[in-house]
Amino acid sequence: MIAITGATGQLGRLVIEALLPKIPAAQIVAAVRSPEKAKNLAALGVQVRQADYAQPATLEAAFQGVEKVLLISSSEVGQRAAQHRAVIEAAAKAGVKLIAYTSILRADTSPLALAAEHKETEAALRASGLPFVLLRNGWYTENRTASIPVALQHGAVLGAAGEGRIASAARADYAAAAAAVLTREDQAGRVYELAGDTGYTLSELAAEIARQSGKTVAYQDLPEPAYKAALVQAGLPEGFAALLANSDAGTAKGALFDDSRQLSQLIGRPTTPLATTVAAALTA
């Protein structure tokens, strides 16, 4: 059996969708904090088990009989490392044979503040003695296209990335990669640096939004502190705004670009083009 943590999240649901054509639904465990939110997964024949990071006993119970676990990184920045350690410890106690972890692109050398908890988790995996595989995911294109409504409203894409290139891919591309790794043999010890086939600047993103929408949209590059202030003014918590602004500053230094094409090689097809994800966002 294969267990997916955070299975009701955006990536988790897509991973399960990608697994269903490959293995019987009964061999998939959706490990979720709130089982009542996973009724649609249960309807597909997937096993739904409670797995609360704050209740280690639920984690160990959720992993009983499970051979592989996909540890999808928590969305609770600042609490991730402790939560991930709880999953790793429970997996070890349950006799899990492989953990796949969704880390961040080049976690060991990344200048991004977001990489810190991923580094901690990778270290915890090494210390655990469990076989593991690292899926070092680059940026999700949806991270950028989510702000298209605001960009259209103000006629500008804001950022602090300069002309740094972003080799992002659609969330579904990363989900397909996770499903591929989970259903292959001899994955222990592998490290995948996963990113989109082609990169783009935020200027090019703005131009694509303008082209498809027929509206004037331009990229406005800001100093990192000014971009953080703009995000706070837009309603983001200060800590999260600081992380996003830091990520843009890292982008300017190449932190989100990779041209190894390991992602497309893993999934056996090209990654989703920027234009496709922009189009989906505009019609959502």
Side-chain angles (χ1 to χ4, degrees):
M1 284 193 291
I2 298 173
I4 312 299
T5 70
T8 52
Q10 292 175 303
L11 180 61
R13 289 180 182 274
L14 290 172
V15 172
I16 289 177
E17 286 180 16
L19 281 173
L20 284 170
K22 297 174 178 285
I23 62 174
Q27 292 297 307
I28 301 172
V29 174
V32 299
R33 181 178 298 175
S34 304
E36 64 274 11
K37 295 181 180 179
K39 292 179 180 177
N40 60 335
L41 296 176
L44 296 172
V46 172
Q47 294 189 50
V48 175
R49 300 180 183 177
Q50 186 184 20
D52 190 332
Y53 292 136
Q55 300 179 48
T58 65
L59 296 171
E60 189 175 347
F63 298 152
Q64 290 303 311
V66 167
E67 181 182 0
K68 301 176 182 178
V69 170
L70 174 64
L71 171 50
I72 294 178
S73 57
S74 166
S75 60
E76 298 179 60
V77 176
Q79 301 179 51
R80 287 174 163 182
Q83 292 175 342
H84 297 166
R85 280 195 299 271
V87 172
I88 294 165
E89 290 168 5
K93 290 178 182 177
V96 169
K97 296 178 181 177
L98 180 74
I99 292 185
Y101 172 60
T102 61
S103 188
I104 195 170
L105 188 65
R106 294 190 297 276
D108 50 344
T109 60
S110 175
L112 304 187
L114 276 172
E117 288 181 295
H118 291 294
K119 291 178 187 176
E120 283 189 59
T121 302
E122 290 190 8
L125 283 166
R126 292 188 183 95
S128 72
L130 282 172
F132 65 90
V133 53
L134 299 178
L135 303 172
R136 287 179 169 170
N137 290 351
W139 224 235
Y140 300 147
T141 309
E142 290 89 345
N143 290 348
R144 285 295 179 183
T145 58
S147 63
I148 283 179
V150 176
L152 292 174
Q153 181 181 354
H154 297 286
V157 169
L158 301 182
E163 290 303 303
R165 300 193 72 76
I166 303 167
S168 69
R171 194 174 274 110
D173 296 335
Y174 294 108
V181 166
L182 290 166
T183 53
R184 291 183 184 181
E185 299 299 323
D186 302 320
Q187 294 299 300
R190 294 179 182 265
V191 178
Y192 292 99
E193 303 289 354
L194 303 177
D197 287 343
T198 56
Y200 56 89
T201 65
L202 291 185
S203 294
E204 291 168 344
L205 170 62
E208 184 61 31
I209 295 170
R211 184 185 72 80
Q212 292 197 33
S213 68
K215 298 182 179 181
T216 300
V217 180
Y219 174 52
Q220 184 176 351
D221 193 54
L222 301 171
E224 183 180 346
Y227 182 43
K228 174 193 168 185
L231 293 171
V232 170
Q233 186 175 8
L236 292 184
E238 185 159 344
F240 188 52
L243 282 172
L244 290 181
N246 171 268
S247 296
D248 257 32
T251 299
K253 301 172 184 176
L256 295 181
F257 180 75
D258 182 87
D259 59 2
S260 65
R261 299 203 172 194
Q262 290 184 43
L263 178 52
S264 57
Q265 291 167 17
L266 188 55
I267 63 180
R269 61 168 174 78
T271 58
T272 305
L274 172 66
T276 300
T277 308
V278 168
L282 286 170
T283 56

